[in-house]
DNA sequence: GGGCTCCGATTTTTT
DNA sequence: ATCGGAGCCC
């Protein structure tokens, strides 16, 4: 009788718990209820892996391993069964008095650690845990990136391994400076073996947990290997002296710490009884080791990954970690998630076609209940401008049908490909955001101020001291710096320590005054940190170091970028303030510096702004968009030129293609271009092998009208040549504008960054342009530019297909027909048609640099500003 | 010690 | 095309 009741209760409990996770599919639920022991989840793209992670953690905390256990802590009564049955039937929570019977070995939230690769992924996990478990419980789960987790561990134990608690985190720029110093000190010629290559080799060693000693001990394959081993040891010593870790060190030294200190390891193994690792296919040997050191004797380790999406082999990720997981952890349960909830079947089939050509894979085939959708749209462009125009066309059509800009993403193999798209979008007034490229925190002035801040936190840091000791110029030159370094080495102390009593050294007598002045500044900064808030401290740094005065002087001299730099420093202070607001009492200088070291551009990508987003496929991993443009699908671009000699590299490129394709939810647009200008040279490329790998039945191919050698182009084609004057000349005008706008210190990407950072989303570029006045030369001029390198490259390539249309790009007659080159004038009240935004009415007109800024109220998309002579704009009627 | 000019390299980069 | 680095001159 009692046993029957017990059985009934357990069956009901399983039903009850299953109902809590009712929205999951069978495989997902299986993953959630597999609570103990090693678990490998092979999660295909779009298969809901984050959902599984979140639900699995929720189940651990709410029910532990109760599901399917057939266990109860006490005798079951009729009332228990009745109450549970009622809860199931009514879909309500079971009464609190049943709690103890619904949970078995329930895990406390602080016993769970979830590791991801990006801050964005960690943030998303935390957010969803909060939603599912409630604020309190959700926040107590430790969800962070590999690197933040290591920083947290290292902060606590740094002194045990000979580092200061307030260690500095070096970025790649710092690392290069250190390596350069090492080269100099060891008199190594960087022409034979570039600093970058040495850093790369060293980074691979650290990924593989090879110590400097081991690297030296292992017979080198060649001279370069021997140099690398030599500089590795010297580099590590420098970082240790400076009290700094680079990104790879964070992992490497945490592994050493856990491996060598039993009590530390046991502390974490006891604390975190359940471990979950996301994107497992991208872990390195060191990260694998870290995870296994954190895994306690219960072996509650759950890894989620997709071998087909491993795209960071070049950075030390070893796909073997996922391929061998079952062997390394005996008793592993493996679950495959193959149902895709993201894409249409045409997109998915295309992705499957491509990835099937790889040999090194576990093998799985994604399927979906979603409809077929459109076929994959493949467009062959004439050149990169044509490609950009086509993308703008499609986006325009979508907007007219009520779509949103933010639903569109343009993905490419390398950052250099963004320039023509960005240029075209800017001219057409299409709001966009480029993710990646130069980060805000990588700007020189920002890094300088951060360096000042970090030497106050960590006075041992000679590398950052060198960076700013003479910035702004204060008459401390290289000779002096080397003398200080020499003295510091002799006395086995830091350079700053030497500077603090510079007057005691005869060798420093010449530069004594500037040095003591510098020391005074440093002392005042120390005082500021102690007495004022963090954001006040930041602004003191800008002021007291003379940085502000220097920039003001440059502005006075007429340096155009100085004002921008000043603005960036203002932004920096704002960022510090935001950090303080977020962390309240816990805000520390170390914490802020840690944040800026570990946070990347993609983390600040905010999907709420209505803009088209442009990024590399690497950056797009983990994201999804309704409409995806995968551009530059050409041999030599994608797959990249560098990868074509190695089968393993080609497979990685193919996985990257797979990642790109599977970002698309509704429609995928792939384009290739017959010619492409890259690094100032025009090349002719064959369509990518990845395109040929897609079965024709899933594709719909179109070629650019320009390629069909039709002189009379229909539709927008004709309006294009009418409205964007002079083809290449228009393009050169715009690029000239881009250059002057960024004032020469930013690249194409940073101009995009500026554009979107300081500009409201849908306002487009017009407002910013107006705000900056019109110092830009070359902007309004639609005069044809010299035939230039494109023309030259063109004719040298010279085939009949090429000669079909040199017109648009060399300023030959067709492009200069009067209609194209006559500046257009608009009056308020004019009705115009814009290629992308559709029909609208001109509200305001403002002259600027021989052109007009036209403010138009579009019927579909509202008010936007565009440049009259560059936007694809046609006047329909006059008032 | 500071500034200018010429030369060369130039995939991808969650941290 | 474009940026950064090294070398040269004041």
């Amino acid at each position: 009788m009692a046993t029957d009741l017990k059985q009934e209760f357990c069956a009901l409990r399983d039903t009850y718990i299953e109902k809590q996770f009712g929205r999951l599919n069978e495989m997902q639920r299986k993953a959630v209820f597999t609570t103990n022991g090693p678990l490998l989840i092979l999660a295909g793209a779009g298969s809901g892996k984050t959902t599984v992670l979140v639900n699995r953690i929720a189940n651990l905390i709410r029910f532990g391993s109760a599901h399917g256990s057939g266990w109860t802590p006490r005798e079951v009564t009729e009332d228990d069964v009745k109450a549970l049955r009622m809860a199931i039937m009514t879909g309500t929570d079971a009464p609190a008095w049943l709690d103890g019977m619904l949970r078995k070995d329930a895990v406390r939230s602080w016993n769970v650690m979830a590791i991801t690769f990006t801050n964005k992924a960690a943030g998303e996990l935390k957010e969803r845990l909060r939603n599912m478990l409630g604020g309190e419980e959700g926040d107590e789960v430790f969800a962070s990136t590999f690197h933040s987790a290591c920083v947290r561990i290292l902060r606590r134990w740094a002194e045990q391994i000979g580092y200061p608690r307030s260690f500095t985190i070096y970025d790649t720029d710092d690392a290069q400076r250190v390596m350069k110093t090492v080269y100099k000190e060891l008199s190594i010629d960087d022409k034979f073996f570039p600093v970058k290559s040495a850093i790369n080799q060293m980074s691979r060693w650290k990924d593989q947990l090879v110590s400097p000693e081991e690297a030296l001990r292992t017979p080198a394959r060649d001279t370069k290997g021997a140099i690398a081993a030599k500089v590795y040891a010297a580099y590590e010593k420098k970082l240790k002296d400076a009290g700094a870790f680079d990104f790879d060190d964070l992992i490497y030294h945490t592994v050493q710490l856990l491996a060598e200190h039993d009590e530390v390891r046991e502390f974490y193994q006891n604390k975190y009884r359940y471990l979950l690792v996301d994107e497992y296919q991208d872990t390195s040997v060191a990260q694998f080791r870290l995870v296994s050191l954190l895994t306690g004797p219960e072996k509650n380790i759950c890894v989620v990954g997709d071998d087909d999406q491993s795209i960071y082999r070049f950075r030390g990720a070893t796909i073997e970690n996922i391929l061998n997981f079952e062997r390394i952890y005996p008793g592993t349960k493996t679950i495959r998630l193959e149902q895709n909830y993201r894409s249409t079947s045409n997109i998915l089939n295309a992705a499957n076609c491509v990835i099937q050509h790889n040999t090194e894979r576990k093998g799985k085939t994604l399927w979906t209940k979603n409809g077929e959708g459109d076929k994959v749209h493949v467009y062959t462009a004439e050149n990169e401008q044509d490609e950009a125009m086509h993308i703008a066309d499609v986006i325009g059509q979508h907007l007219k049908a009520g779509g949103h800009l933010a639903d569109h993403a343009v993905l490419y193999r390398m950052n250099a490909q963004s320039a023509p798209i960005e240029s075209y979008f800017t001219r057409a007034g299409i709001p966009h955001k480029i993710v990646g490229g130069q980060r805000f925190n990588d700007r020189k002035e920002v890094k300088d101020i951060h360096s000042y801040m970090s030497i106050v936190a960590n006075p041992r840091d000679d590398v950052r001291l060198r960076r700013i000791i003479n910035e702004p110029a204060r008459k401390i030159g290289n000779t002096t710096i080397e003398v200080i370094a020499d003295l510091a080495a002799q006395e086995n102390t830091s350079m700053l320590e030497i500077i603090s009593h510079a007057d005691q050294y005869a060798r420093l007598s010449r530069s004594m005054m500037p040095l003591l002045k510098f020391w005074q500044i440093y002392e005042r900064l120390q005082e500021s940190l102690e007495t004022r808030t963090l954001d006040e401290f930041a602004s003191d740094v800008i002021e007291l170091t003379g940085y502000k005065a220097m920039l003001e002087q440059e502005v006075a001299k007429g340096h155009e970028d100085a004002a921008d730099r000043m603005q960036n420093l203002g932004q920096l202070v704002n960022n510090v303030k935001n950090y303080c607001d977020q962390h309240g009492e816990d805000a520390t200088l170390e914490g802020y510096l840690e944040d800026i070291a570990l946070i990347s551009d993609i983390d600040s990508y905010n999907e709420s702004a209505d803009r088209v987003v442009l990024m590399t496929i690497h950056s797009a991993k983990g994201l999804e968009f309704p409409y995806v443009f995968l551009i530059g699908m050409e041999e030599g671009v994608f797959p990249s030129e560098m990868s074509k000699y190695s089968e393993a590299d080609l497979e990685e490129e193919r996985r990257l293609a797979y990642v790109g394709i599977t970002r698309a939810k509704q429609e995928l647009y792939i384009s290739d271009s017959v010619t492409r200008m890259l690094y100032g040279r025009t090349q002719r490329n064959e369509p990518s092998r990845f395109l040929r790998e897609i079965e024709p039945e899933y594709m719909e191919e179109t070629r650019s009208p320009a390629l069909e050698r039709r002189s009379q182009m229909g539709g927008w084609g004709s309006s294009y040549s009418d409205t964007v004057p002079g083809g290449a000349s228009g393009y050169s005008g715009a690029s000239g504008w881009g250059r002057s706008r960024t004032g020469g210190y930013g690249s194409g990407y940073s101009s995009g960054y500026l554009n979107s950072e300081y500009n409201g989303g849908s306002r487009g570029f017009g407002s910013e342009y107006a705000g900056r006045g019109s110092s830009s030369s070359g902007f309004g001029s639609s005069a044809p530019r010299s035939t230039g390198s494109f023309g030259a490259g063109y004719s040298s390539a010279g085939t009949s297909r090429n000669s079909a249309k040199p017109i648009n790009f060399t300023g030959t007659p067709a492009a200069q027909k009067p209609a194209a080159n006559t500046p257009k004038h608009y009056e308020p009240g004019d009705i115009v048609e814009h290629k992308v935004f559709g029909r609208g009415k001109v509200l305001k007109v403002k002259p600027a640099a021989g052109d007009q800024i036209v403010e138009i109220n579009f019927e579909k998309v509202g008010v936007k500003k565009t440049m009259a002579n560059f936007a694809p704009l046609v006047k329909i009627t006059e008032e």
Side-chain angles (χ1 to χ4, degrees):
Chain A
M1 183 66 187
T3 336
D4 285 351
L5 266 181
K6 202 163 181 169
Q7 276 174 5
E8 194 180 353
F9 183 86
C10 289
L12 281 172
R13 182 178 60 197
D14 285 356
T15 311
Y16 175 77
I17 296 176
E18 277 163 33
K19 222 179 149 186
Q20 303 288 315
F21 301 97
R23 275 191 286 184
L24 305 183
N25 69 35
E26 204 190 321
M27 282 300 148
Q28 291 176 323
R29 233 175 299 149
K30 203 172 157 195
V32 167
F33 297 136
T34 307
T35 51
N36 292 321
L39 172 64
L40 169 62
I41 304 174
L42 291 169
S47 62
K49 104 198 137 139
T50 310
T51 304
V52 169
L53 279 176
V54 171
N55 282 278
R56 189 168 180 276
I57 294 171
N59 177 59
L60 280 170
I61 292 169
R62 291 177 59 195
F63 307 110
S65 55
H67 181 271
S69 68
W71 162 97
T72 64
R74 56 175 168 90
E75 285 308 304
V76 177
T77 66
E78 296 261 4
D79 283 350
D80 295 338
V81 172
K82 246 191 230 163
L84 192 54
R85 187 177 291 132
M86 186 61 82
I88 293 168
M89 271 164 51
T90 57
T92 52
D93 284 350
W97 52 270
L98 281 181
D99 269 8
M101 301 175 75
L102 295 176
R103 308 154 69 102
K104 176 177 189 283
D105 308 326
V107 183
R108 302 313 304 261
S109 42
W110 57 83
N111 294 137
V112 180
M113 183 176 193
I115 311 178
T116 64
F117 271 82
T118 62
N119 295 296
K120 196 171 166 53
E124 199 181 312
L125 207 56
K126 278 186 210 159
E127 180 65 30
R128 290 178 64 174
L129 282 170
R130 256 196 299 275
N131 291 339
M132 193 144 189
L133 294 164
E136 197 113 319
E137 289 253 80
D139 283 336
E140 280 168 356
V141 175
F142 183 53
S144 90
T145 64
F146 269 103
H147 291 83
S148 318
C150 288
V151 169
R152 190 153 144 165
I153 295 172
L154 287 170
R155 286 262 184 249
R156 186 167 177 151
W157 311 91
E159 277 157 11
Q160 295 216 1
I161 54 169
Y163 285 81
R165 201 175 279 263
S166 57
F167 57 79
T168 309
I169 302 168
Y170 278 0
D171 60 19
T172 30
D173 179 71
D174 297 312
Q176 282 191 32
R177 284 167 185 269
V178 175
M179 196 52 98
K180 266 186 202 152
T181 320
V182 169
Y183 266 56
K184 222 186 205 165
E185 286 175 9
L186 299 177
S187 316
I188 297 166
D189 184 5
D190 72 330
K191 288 217 173 58
F192 176 64
F193 186 52
V195 166
K196 265 195 180 163
S197 313
I199 289 188
N200 214 32
Q201 172 61 64
M202 187 177 69
S203 184
R204 294 295 79 76
W205 271 328
K206 289 182 191 174
D207 286 336
Q208 292 168 46
L209 295 173
V210 175
S211 67
E213 296 73 35
E214 280 172 283
L216 279 170
R217 231 182 294 131
T218 319
R221 235 185 287 134
D222 47 28
T223 341
K224 291 178 183 178
I227 295 175
K230 215 160 98 184
V231 295
Y232 178 19
Y235 173 96
E236 278 306 290
K237 185 176 181 309
K238 279 234 176 308
L239 260 71
K240 185 153 194 184
D241 287 345
F245 296 109
D246 65 22
F247 290 138
D248 302 310
D249 285 338
L250 292 174
I251 314 281
Y252 180 94
H253 286 281
T254 307
V255 167
Q256 302 297 340
L257 170 77
L258 293 171
E260 285 162 20
H261 295 78
D262 297 350
E263 75 287 0
V264 179
R265 185 175 63 250
E266 279 158 23
F267 172 84
Y268 287 105
Q269 288 188 358
N270 288 331
K271 186 171 165 78
Y272 298 114
R273 290 177 43 223
Y274 287 83
L275 231 61
L276 297 98
V277 185
D278 193 13
E279 306 279 13
Y280 193 67
Q281 75 281 354
D282 287 326
T283 49
S284 63
V285 168
Q287 284 161 334
F288 164 79
R289 185 97 171 94
L290 176 71
V291 171
S292 39
L293 284 165
L294 288 169
T295 305
E298 299 169 293
K299 302 265 178 267
N300 292 325
I301 163 85
C302 163
V303 302
V304 189
D306 179 359
D307 49 312
D308 290 334
Q309 291 188 68
S310 165
I311 54 173
Y312 285 103
R313 201 180 71 106
F314 73 96
R315 269 183 98 256
T318 62
I319 201 165
E320 283 73 26
N321 283 349
I322 201 163
L323 298 177
N324 299 336
F325 187 84
E326 288 147 309
R327 241 200 16 244
I328 291 158
Y329 288 98
T332 293
K333 297 197 177 92
T334 303
I335 293 170
R336 282 184 158 72
L337 304 177
E338 292 174 300
Q339 180 175 0
N340 172 291
Y341 294 92
R342 181 184 292 154
S343 313
T344 64
S345 67
N346 274 326
I347 294 170
L348 220 48
N349 287 332
N352 282 332
C353 285
V354 172
I355 201 66
Q356 267 165 23
H357 287 79
N358 270 6
T359 54
E360 297 295 310
R361 60 190 292 250
K362 287 224 158 209
K364 66 185 150 26
T365 307
L366 293 185
W367 60 277
T368 184
K369 286 184 187 165
N370 297 343
E372 261 185 27
D374 282 13
K375 292 190 173 184
V376 174
H377 307 275
V378 178
Y379 179 82
T380 302
E382 185 190 26
N383 51 49
E384 69 276 3
Q385 270 88 262
D386 183 29
E387 186 178 44
M389 183 174 73
H390 172 250
I391 296 168
D393 273 359
V394 175
I395 294 174
Q397 282 160 22
H398 289 174
L399 288 188
K400 281 175 198 155
H404 297 282
L405 289 164
D407 289 342
H408 299 82
V410 180
L411 308 181
Y412 34 81
R413 179 64 182 82
M414 40 185 186
N415 281 310
Q417 287 171 262
S418 69
I421 310 286
E422 137 99 326
S423 162
Y424 191 88
F425 279 14
T426 304
R427 278 181 290 147
I430 302 174
H432 59 279
K433 156 101 181 156
I434 297 186
V435 174
Q438 207 191 20
R439 300 184 313 165
F440 175 80
N441 290 329
D442 288 340
R443 285 152 199 266
K444 185 189 180 301
E445 64 278 13
V446 175
K447 286 218 69 177
D448 284 348
I449 298 306
H450 283 149
S451 292
Y452 276 109
M453 292 169 75
S454 79
I455 58 165
V456 177
N458 174 15
R460 271 163 65 173
D461 190 346
D462 290 353
V463 179
R464 296 222 169 146
L465 175 80
R466 278 168 182 267
R467 187 189 167 101
I468 45 77
I469 191 164
N470 202 32
E471 194 71 45
R474 38 174 89 89
K475 301 206 182 300
I476 306 174
N478 279 331
T479 339
T480 311
I481 294 171
E482 289 317 316
V483 172
I484 299 168
D486 196 37
L487 290 168
Q490 273 175 34
E491 299 189 15
N492 197 21
T493 182
S494 70
M495 287 169 66
L496 202 61
E497 183 66 31
I498 301 292
I499 295 169
S500 71
H501 39 90
D503 49 350
Q504 294 172 14
Y505 301 95
R507 286 172 70 192
L508 291 174
S509 58
R510 272 173 176 243
S511 44
M512 192 184 76
M513 280 316 285
L515 286 175
L516 289 181
K517 254 190 196 154
F518 179 80
W519 176 245
Q520 263 175 11
I521 293 171
Y522 185 80
E523 281 182 314
R524 288 176 72 187
L525 295 181
Q526 276 181 317
E527 197 195 318
S528 164
L529 178 66
E530 276 166 32
T531 55
R532 287 155 65 80
T533 62
L534 208 55
D535 55 300
E536 287 167 343
F537 167 67
S539 99
D540 279 351
V541 171
I542 296 165
E543 183 99 36
L544 296 175
T545 56
Y547 217 97
K548 195 176 173 186
M550 174 183 75
L551 288 180
E552 277 166 354
Q553 219 170 29
E554 278 184 41
V555 174
K557 270 196 237 160
H559 266 269
E560 279 177 42
D561 14 320
D564 282 346
R565 307 222 305 259
M566 198 99 99
Q567 214 177 357
N568 288 337
L569 294 185
Q571 183 62 45
L572 185 154
V573 177
N574 276 341
N575 292 348
V576 178
K577 208 171 183 138
N578 286 341
Y579 168 84
C580 291
D581 290 347
Q582 270 169 41
H583 293 79
E585 288 284 290
D586 300 329
T588 60
L589 176 56
E590 287 83 359
Y592 169 75
L593 292 171
E594 186 180 311
D595 265 21
I596 54 158
L598 299 181
I599 282 172
S600 78
D601 196 41
I602 185 93
D603 298 317
S604 57
Y605 160 55
N606 166 6
E607 32 218 297
S608 66
D610 194 24
R611 307 178 201 164
V612 180
V613 59
L614 282 64
M615 63 176 103
T616 63
I617 303 167
H618 282 90
S619 301
K621 197 173 81 157
L623 306 178
E624 56 177 34
F625 305 90
Y627 308 105
V628 166
F629 297 90
L630 210 48
I631 70 170
M633 266 289 178
E634 297 142 37
E635 288 293 307
V637 176
F638 194 11
S640 109
E641 191 68 25
M642 313 287 197
S643 66
K644 69 178 182 195
Y645 305 102
S646 138
E647 205 45 51
D649 286 349
L650 271 172
E651 294 216 346
E652 175 137 314
E653 294 283 304
R654 192 173 281 110
R655 291 192 291 269
L656 191 58
Y658 176 78
V659 168
I661 295 170
T662 54
R663 297 311 93 196
K665 291 164 86 168
Q666 290 172 35
E667 286 174 33
L668 174 64
Y669 295 82
I670 303 182
S671 49
D672 68 300
S673 184
V674 171
T675 63
R676 178 176 300 274
M677 168 121 86
L678 211 55
Y679 306 129
R681 287 197 163 280
T682 300
Q683 22 176 270
R684 316 189 86 252
N685 297 325
E686 292 298 314
S688 168
R689 68 192 70 196
F690 304 144
L691 264 180
R692 295 199 304 265
E693 286 166 4
I694 302 175
E695 298 279 345
E697 58 176 306
Y698 307 124
M699 293 189 290
E700 175 194 84
E701 300 185 63
T702 11
R703 291 170 66 78
S704 166
L707 289 172
E708 302 302 328
R709 263 194 272 173
R710 269 190 273 144
S711 50
Q712 280 296 322
M713 285 182 281
W716 278 110
S718 63
S719 349
Y720 171 69
S721 55
D722 280 341
T723 52
V724 178
S729 59
Y731 178 61
S732 78
S735 69
W737 175 59
R739 225 180 296 122
S740 58
R741 193 165 52 101
T742 54
Y745 85 96
S747 62
Y749 333 129
S750 63
S751 82
Y753 191 85
L754 279 173
N755 181 27
S756 21
E757 269 312 296
Y758 299 117
N759 216 4
S762 59
R763 275 184 292 141
F765 70 94
S767 53
E768 186 202 17
Y769 179 79
R772 273 169 199 263
S774 49
S775 55
S776 46
S777 57
F779 187 75
S781 77
S782 52
R785 171 222 210 177
S786 68
T787 50
S789 58
F790 188 89
Y794 220 109
S795 38
S796 73
T799 68
S800 59
R801 183 150 65 158
N802 268 338
S803 55
K805 223 195 164 196
I807 309 162
N808 272 346
F809 300 95
T810 50
T812 41
Q816 289 178 52
K817 61 184 174 184
N821 265 354
T822 307
K824 287 177 296 185
H825 287 284
Y826 293 91
E827 302 284 336
D830 287 352
I831 303 295
V832 293
E833 174 99 14
H834 186 281
K835 188 172 160 188
V836 175
F837 300 126
R839 203 164 277 238
K841 192 174 186 179
V842 175
L843 297 177
K844 274 187 212 158
V845 175
K846 215 181 190 180
D851 198 351
Q852 291 178 308
I853 297 160
V854 197
E855 196 175 314
I856 305 160
N857 186 13
F858 289 102
E859 289 165 14
K860 292 273 160 53
V861 291
V863 179
K864 304 223 178 292
K865 290 178 184 174
T866 59
M867 298 305 298
N869 282 308
F870 285 94
L873 210 56
V874 190
K875 197 186 291 192
I876 306 287
T877 57
E878 292 182 30
E879 185 80 321

